[in-house]
Amino acid sequence: MFEGLPNEYDIIVVGTGIVESILAAACARIGKTVLHIDTNEYYGSEWSSFTLNGLTEWIQTQENPVTNINPQDDNERIMPIGNPLNVFRNIQLKWNIEKTNEQSSTTTENDTPKITLDVLEKQSRKFNIDLTPKLYYATGGLIDLLIQSNVGKYCEFKLVSRLLFENNGQLDNVPSSRADIFNSNNISLIDKRLLMKVIMNCSSMAIEDLNEDENIPFIEYLKKQKLNDTLCHLIINSISMVDYNATTKEGIIKAKRYLDSIGRYGNSPFLYPLYGNGEMSQCFCRLCAVFGGTYFLRFPLAGFTIDSLTNQCSGIVATTGERFRAKDAVICNNSFMESISSNKNVIHRTVLFTNQSIKSSEKDEITYVRLSSPNEFGIHIIEVGSGSGCIPDGFFLLYIFQEKPQENINQIVERLLNLTGDNFTRANILGQLTFDQVETLSTSISSPVLKLLLTHGPDGSIDHDGAVNTARNIFHQIYSNGEEFLARAPDPEDIVIEDDGNTNDTSTTNTNTENENL
Amino acid sequence: MSVHGQVKIRTSAEQKAARERERAEKLQLYLTQYQSILNNRYLLDSFQLLKQTENVLIDHPDCFTLWNIRRESILKLNDDQQKEYLEKELQTTQICLKSNAKSYSCWYQRQWVLKLLKDKFNLNLYQNELQLCKKYLEYDERNFHCWAYRYYLLERLCPSSSSSSSDLESFYENELSFLRSTIGVNLSNYSAWHYRSKYLDKLLDHNPSRRSSLLSNEWQLVLNAFYTDCSDQAAWFYARWLLFKQIGIEFINEDEHIKPLEELDNIEPGNKWCMLALSQLWKGKNIKNDKRIIYLEQLANQIDSDRAQFYRDQI
């Protein structure tokens, strides 16, 4: 099975999650030979997206066979891998609809066809269900990286068109731009002025100007600006998106991020990838492959080879005994470490399959709601419809997860239903998927050996900043002599083919070649 | 990687040189084509001239002479052909607008076409044109060519005074609502506010009985605008027109009009628009207020000294 595959590389990357994929692309980009593997038969690891049938398969396949390999000589030690799928626990998928129409015992006199599971399964390909739903700030973070590296041309995005918040027992639009505030009927004239003032201040001020205010709680600072409770809640919860005990400095930095991101692509600060978050890993893998990276999915990985003398990781070994060496480093997702099983920090994730939006609209929307209150961690709710390419027409996916788990999912769903009123009720929830995802970002699993660098999975936040920073840090750890991290790939017009040795005639030769190609 | 040569990536100096070469070639081509058309102007027939000018205008839509030649050529055609070519002209100008959405020549040409087609008035044609305007305004809401063209179209589409009164009224209201949504997207859109004043005028003339409710609503809209963004001049100019030209000094009342501005002034001291508006209102209503002179002096000496004399004249 390994015929034709070289055994030596500069870098071996294990796992195709976002952090690993960014690193694989960055290393290939500076000319290193990269072998990028995954034990799964799909890209993305914990960050992938599945079709409906794919999801069912994933739920059933939580086992990976583990094989014992013996060291080939005294200088070598083998460190076996754990089961990377152990990061997922308590997976439950419950449908509230019948499997097929024949099972339905009630005879319907009216002609409305009841939605059955097999109808959804027939359209399985139209589903792209994220294991790790995330949104993308229009400035900074992953979007800037996509643009800078030119990987952006491999993917498409849609604007998260609707941002809602909890206001007086219902879900209202978050007014965050001048236009929103102008058009809002729910804010008094004076409050409009005060709100605009605070927003413009947040955008334009330098953090240094805060002076003593820097460390006071953000909520106090906002009250000093004469904002009422509702507006303070709006800014803390839906614009800065910090917890109530955040400092003013944190609040303003995040508010700036949000406000700077509005207007770049539209009247909202967030983007969502067409066809789901699983696309992201694949885009970086594509760049890696373009620059010569080698890909191997469903790789039968047994463990890592460690050089006993230097205690350095020298590469990986397959269950067949075949060994692959890495000269510079092995990068591996920490879900492959056996010790991950004892990890207690989890993110509770829920996906609801619904046939009605939480708030009706004339057009297709991608909606984000952040719920929170004092003493509570933020609850993220993302709703996508068929326009996102993630679900067939007439249905919606509702992702719910909490920054750090505090409330149980039933309480959260109950709370949401109280806000949606008659438009969206329990009857609209066709199915519910819940699972726990071990949170491996903040858990510092230190690498047991040199030259084995560990990455991590997603956290409970709404964005990717943590992942991008880790990738950058690891890259500079391995290559610390000023190599550029994901430099821009050249535009096609600037690439010319010239004949060997004809450097004097470069200009004319190039023009002619160009014209021929046109 | 090619078998023969190396892959090489251009440096920025080379990129610049390449761009210069490209531009020089383009210029050469244009001059050759242009000269050829002028030389052969009286030798070629209308159809040939139309074809040749089209090729050049698509990339260089601002060449007046070539548009003149097109108009000449179309006018030489017989009635049926003329109609056909006039309608084609709309498509041609649309393509040219892609090069330059603010080309005087293109927009003028469209008006010229519609004027000639006037006798064969086609409602669909006008509706299509309105859609086009809407699209171009979405690309650039400040494209004044597009605004002017839109108003030309609306004049044509306006129900005549002989049609029912409610038709005319809903026509004006539709337009006001379009303008409202444009302002809703960007309240700095001066063109939108300007046209709003025109249509409000027309609606008020047409139906004077709605005067007080319309003006009241309008005042709320404009208050909303400067409470949201007190530094945006479009709304202030509109407010000045609304207060002094439409509502009129006798109907300005303290509670509805002056108090909100005074409150705004408290929250935003030093805002020149607010201070000026208040000074003018206090004077107009003969309200004795020491602040008036203080404000005008502050405006003249510190806040907006470029227009010092304008403020001093009001004292």
Side-chain angles (χ1 to χ4, degrees):
Chain A
M1 88 164 73
F2 297 114
E3 265 173 38
L5 196 64
N7 287 86
E8 246 203 52
Y9 297 86
D10 292 323
I11 294 274
I12 296 182
V13 185
V14 179
T16 50
I18 282 270
V19 188
E20 299 86 81
S21 304
I22 295 178
L23 277 163
C27 295
R29 181 76 184 83
I30 57 171
K32 302 296 174 187
T33 53
V34 176
L35 172 64
H36 197 175
I37 68 165
D38 202 316
T39 51
N40 297 319
E41 59 175 8
Y42 49 85
Y43 287 96
S45 302
E46 305 157 71
W47 312 71
S48 34
S49 307
F50 292 119
T51 61
L52 193 58
N53 294 335
L55 186 70
T56 321
E57 276 175 41
W58 171 75
I59 294 174
Q60 288 157 359
T61 325
Q62 289 299 308
E63 280 303 314
N64 255 345
V66 179
T67 317
N68 282 323
I69 297 282
N70 291 320
Q72 65 187 4
D73 56 41
D74 286 337
N75 288 336
E76 192 192 68
R77 186 162 56 87
I78 303 285
M79 186 171 84
I81 57 162
N83 180 0
L85 294 171
N86 279 341
V87 293
F88 294 106
R89 302 171 190 165
N90 302 327
I91 307 174
Q92 284 180 30
L93 174 58
K94 185 170 152 306
W95 290 102
N96 300 329
I97 53 180
E98 306 281 356
K99 171 86 169 109
T100 61
N101 256 324
E102 292 107 58
Q103 287 179 359
S104 166
S105 49
T106 49
T107 43
T108 40
E109 271 153 14
N110 45 2
D111 278 327
T112 43
K114 270 171 50 169
I115 303 160
T116 55
L117 188 54
D118 57 359
V119 165
L120 292 178
E121 281 169 349
K122 276 208 191 74
Q123 304 190 76
S124 164
R125 288 266 189 90
K126 293 198 177 160
F127 286 82
N128 277 299
I129 303 156
D130 289 343
L131 290 183
T132 302
K134 292 272 188 194
L135 299 181
Y136 299 64
Y137 275 103
T139 54
L142 196 53
I143 292 286
D144 276 359
L145 191 62
L146 287 169
I147 296 175
Q148 165 207 326
S149 62
N150 230 355
V151 174
K153 64 179 185 252
Y154 296 136
C155 41
E156 284 181 81
F157 289 89
K158 285 201 97 164
L159 205 63
V160 173
S161 49
R162 194 164 60 167
L163 297 149
L164 302 175
F165 76 119
E166 190 176 357
N167 189 24
N168 284 334
Q170 56 181 39
L171 292 173
D172 280 340
N173 285 303
V174 174
S176 40
S177 66
R178 185 177 71 166
D180 291 338
I181 294 175
F182 175 61
N183 290 318
S184 164
N185 291 325
N186 298 331
I187 312 178
S188 75
L189 285 180
I190 299 214
D191 282 343
K192 286 191 186 193
R193 185 83 289 272
L194 294 171
L195 183 58
M196 269 301 290
K197 246 177 132 159
V198 170
I199 285 182
M200 306 229 16
N201 249 354
C202 283
S203 271
S204 58
M205 76 158 76
I207 297 292
E208 300 82 59
D209 294 340
L210 278 174
N211 299 321
E212 332 76 51
D213 283 339
E214 215 177 88
N215 290 317
I216 65 174
F218 195 33
I219 181 119
E220 267 180 45
Y221 175 82
L222 291 173
K223 289 228 182 277
K224 274 214 273 186
Q225 317 303 316
K226 306 200 199 115
L227 293 177
N228 64 29
D229 282 344
T230 308
L231 293 180
C232 288
H233 171 72
L234 173 72
I235 294 192
I236 290 193
N237 181 40
S238 299
I239 295 185
S240 291
M241 292 189 268
V242 290
D243 296 325
Y244 274 74
N245 53 12
T247 61
T248 303
K249 182 174 178 180
E250 284 163 21
I252 301 248
I253 290 181
K254 288 212 73 186
K256 269 177 183 294
R257 181 81 181 284
Y258 183 99
L259 297 166
D260 283 347
S261 297
I262 296 184
R264 191 176 195 188
Y265 297 108
N267 200 26
S268 155
F270 291 115
L271 295 177
Y272 184 84
L274 213 53
Y275 310 116
N277 274 283
E279 288 293 300
M280 278 302 111
S281 307
Q282 292 185 45
C283 292
F284 284 101
C285 292
R286 203 161 298 159
L287 187 73
C288 179
V290 162
F291 279 92
T294 305
Y295 277 82
F296 202 123
L297 294 181
R298 223 192 274 160
F299 187 98
L301 183 65
F304 304 93
T305 55
I306 319 279
D307 185 319
S308 317
L309 295 173
T310 57
N311 200 35
Q312 282 184 353
C313 179
S314 51
I316 57 176
V317 57
T319 52
T320 54
E322 187 103 3
R323 283 154 166 80
F324 296 87
R325 288 182 52 82
K327 283 201 324 236
D328 295 345
V330 174
I331 299 172
C332 179
N333 188 306
N334 61 13
S335 62
F336 286 86
M337 298 290 111
E338 286 185 307
S339 52
I340 203 78
S341 336
S342 57
N343 196 312
K344 296 280 188 293
N345 293 344
V346 288
I347 308 166
H348 299 309
R349 292 197 189 273
T350 303
V351 184
L352 299 180
F353 298 85
T354 67
N355 61 2
Q356 183 88 280
S357 170
I358 53 177
K359 189 172 160 108
S360 54
S361 166
E362 286 161 7
K363 52 188 174 96
D364 183 271
E365 313 260 12
I366 298 179
T367 308
Y368 172 54
V369 188
R370 186 175 186 275
L371 298 178
S372 88
S373 38
N375 303 319
E376 189 180 56
F377 294 114
I379 298 170
H380 304 290
I381 302 179
I382 303 174
E383 182 189 77
V384 298
S386 58
S388 64
C390 295
I391 191 149
D393 228 356
F395 301 100
F396 301 84
L397 288 171
L398 202 51
Y399 295 107
I400 303 178
F401 57 101
Q402 193 168 21
E403 196 94 24
K404 292 185 185 23
Q406 218 176 0
E407 292 187 32
N408 76 41
I409 183 59
N410 293 325
Q411 284 176 318
I412 299 180
V413 174
E414 201 54 53
R415 190 162 153 190
L416 182 62
L417 289 171
N418 284 337
L419 294 171
T420 55
D422 295 329
N423 256 327
F424 177 84
T425 64
R426 211 171 268 285
N428 296 116
I429 302 177
L430 307 176
Q432 179 168 321
L433 167 70
T434 52
F435 58 93
D436 292 340
Q437 188 182 40
V438 170
E439 203 257 82
T440 57
L441 169 57
S442 55
T443 319
S444 50
I445 297 183
S446 48
S447 171
V449 287
L450 294 169
K451 284 208 175 173
L452 173 64
L453 288 100
L454 299 179
T455 67
H456 56 73
D459 62 4
S461 72
I462 198 69
D463 61 56
H464 285 95
D465 289 354
V468 174
N469 288 334
T470 305
R472 199 177 268 123
N473 288 339
I474 293 182
F475 179 81
H476 288 304
Q477 250 186 287
I478 309 174
Y479 298 113
S480 50
N481 52 354
E483 299 274 17
E484 207 179 330
F485 178 65
L486 276 179
R488 185 179 175 78
D491 292 321
E493 307 93 65
D494 290 328
I495 302 177
V496 292
I497 317 277
E498 59 183 25
D499 286 325
D500 285 348
N502 272 358
T503 35
N504 287 340
D505 284 85
T506 313
S507 49
T508 37
T509 319
N510 291 343
T511 323
N512 290 339
T513 328
E514 268 181 291
N515 287 336
E516 273 171 59
N517 289 338
L518 282 172
Chain B
M1 288 265 261
S2 140
V3 174
H4 303 286
Q6 310 255 20
V7 171
K8 184 188 158 207
I9 299 168
R10 288 212 193 105
T11 64
S12 49
E14 286 171 348
Q15 278 175 322
K16 194 170 171 211
R19 274 201 299 272
E20 297 284 338
R21 263 197 311 275
E22 223 181 280
R23 223 177 314 136
E25 279 168 21
K26 218 179 162 196
L27 180 61
Q28 196 54 43
L29 183 62
Y30 167 71
L31 288 173
T32 320
Q33 286 174 320
Y34 180 72
Q35 208 49 52
S36 140
I37 294 175
L38 285 187
N39 288 342
N40 298 325
R41 186 173 178 172
Y42 302 106
L43 301 172
L44 297 170
D45 69 22
S46 288
F47 300 107
Q48 289 168 312
L49 279 174
L50 284 170
K51 188 102 184 60
Q52 289 191 10
T53 49
E54 184 173 336
N55 284 338
V56 183
L57 285 170
I58 287 182
D59 287 325
H60 310 273
D62 289 305
C63 183
F64 295 124
T65 311
L66 295 182
W67 286 111
N68 274 333
I69 294 179
R70 284 187 84 75
R71 286 189 280 270
E72 253 181 23
S73 309
I74 292 180
L75 288 174
K76 286 198 188 134
L77 301 172
N78 70 42
D79 272 354
D80 287 330
Q81 288 172 326
Q82 206 179 78
K83 177 162 189 286
E84 185 195 328
Y85 272 85
L86 282 174
E87 287 175 358
K88 265 201 198 171
E89 199 64 2
L90 288 176
Q91 285 173 10
T92 311
T93 49
Q94 204 169 333
I95 300 177
C96 294
L97 278 173
K98 290 210 174 103
S99 299
N100 179 6
K102 295 191 179 181
S103 161
Y104 278 96
S105 319
C106 288
W107 290 106
Y108 176 75
Q109 188 76 346
R110 292 187 90 86
Q111 266 197 21
W112 178 82
V113 165
L114 287 187
K115 283 206 178 89
L116 282 185
L117 283 176
K118 186 159 69 151
D119 302 329
K120 302 139 189 146
F121 187 97
N122 181 347
L123 194 64
N124 276 339
L125 196 66
Y126 280 86
Q127 293 295 358
N128 284 344
E129 291 296 295
L130 267 182
Q131 279 301 96
L132 183 97
C133 276
K134 206 162 170 206
K135 204 167 66 147
Y136 271 91
L137 285 177
E138 273 168 34
Y139 295 149
D140 181 356
E141 63 199 4
R142 297 184 153 192
N143 188 338
F144 63 87
H145 302 267
C146 192
W147 280 109
Y149 187 66
R150 187 190 163 80
Y151 283 92
Y152 170 75
L153 291 173
L154 286 174
E155 299 275 294
R156 288 269 159 285
L157 282 172
C158 184
S160 66
S161 40
S162 57
S163 59
S164 91
S165 153
S166 60
D167 271 352
L168 198 52
E169 193 152 338
S170 28
F171 180 78
Y172 293 143
E173 287 187 330
N174 279 341
E175 191 52 21
L176 283 170
S177 118
F178 169 74
L179 289 168
R180 170 68 184 87
S181 63
T182 308
I183 291 170
V185 167
N186 181 357
L187 63 85
S188 298
N189 194 335
Y190 193 91
S191 301
W193 285 107
H194 169 74
Y195 286 107
R196 198 174 169 80
S197 69
K198 296 260 173 291
Y199 271 78
L200 192 64
D201 239 347
K202 292 189 193 195
L203 185 56
L204 288 171
D205 275 344
H206 175 76
N207 192 346
S209 64
R210 292 178 59 188
R211 208 180 158 74
S212 60
S213 70
L214 280 174
L215 289 179
S216 206
N217 283 343
E218 210 58 20
W219 176 244
Q220 282 307 314
L221 180 66
V222 96
L223 262 188
N224 221 344
F226 28 80
Y227 265 86
T228 304
D229 188 348
C230 56
S231 59
D232 191 77
Q233 55 182 0
W236 287 106
F237 275 111
Y238 187 77
R240 200 189 294 180
W241 168 82
L242 189 66
L243 284 171
F244 297 108
K245 290 272 174 12
Q246 270 301 341
I247 298 179
I249 267 293
E250 317 94 68
F251 290 100
I252 293 180
N253 71 64
E254 228 181 301
D255 275 333
E256 200 184 338
H257 303 114
I258 301 188
K259 274 230 162 46
L261 284 177
E262 288 176 338
E263 272 178 30
L264 182 58
D265 184 46
N266 282 335
I267 314 178
E268 293 282 350
N271 179 297
K272 75 177 190 186
W273 301 106
C274 196
M275 289 163 73
L276 176 61
L278 280 172
S279 308
Q280 291 176 324
L281 283 168
W282 287 326
K283 178 163 190 196
K285 293 301 277 185
N286 284 323
I287 298 175
K288 289 281 172 267
N289 194 328
D290 296 329
K291 273 189 176 175
R292 190 177 82 83
I293 301 202
I294 296 178
Y295 276 2
L296 286 169
E297 285 184 348
Q298 278 180 340
L299 285 165
N301 300 329
Q302 295 142 4
I303 302 179
D304 194 15
S305 51
D306 285 341
R307 292 169 198 85
Q309 204 51 48
F310 170 68
Y311 298 117
R312 292 207 188 96
D313 280 349
Q314 304 200 23
I315 294 181

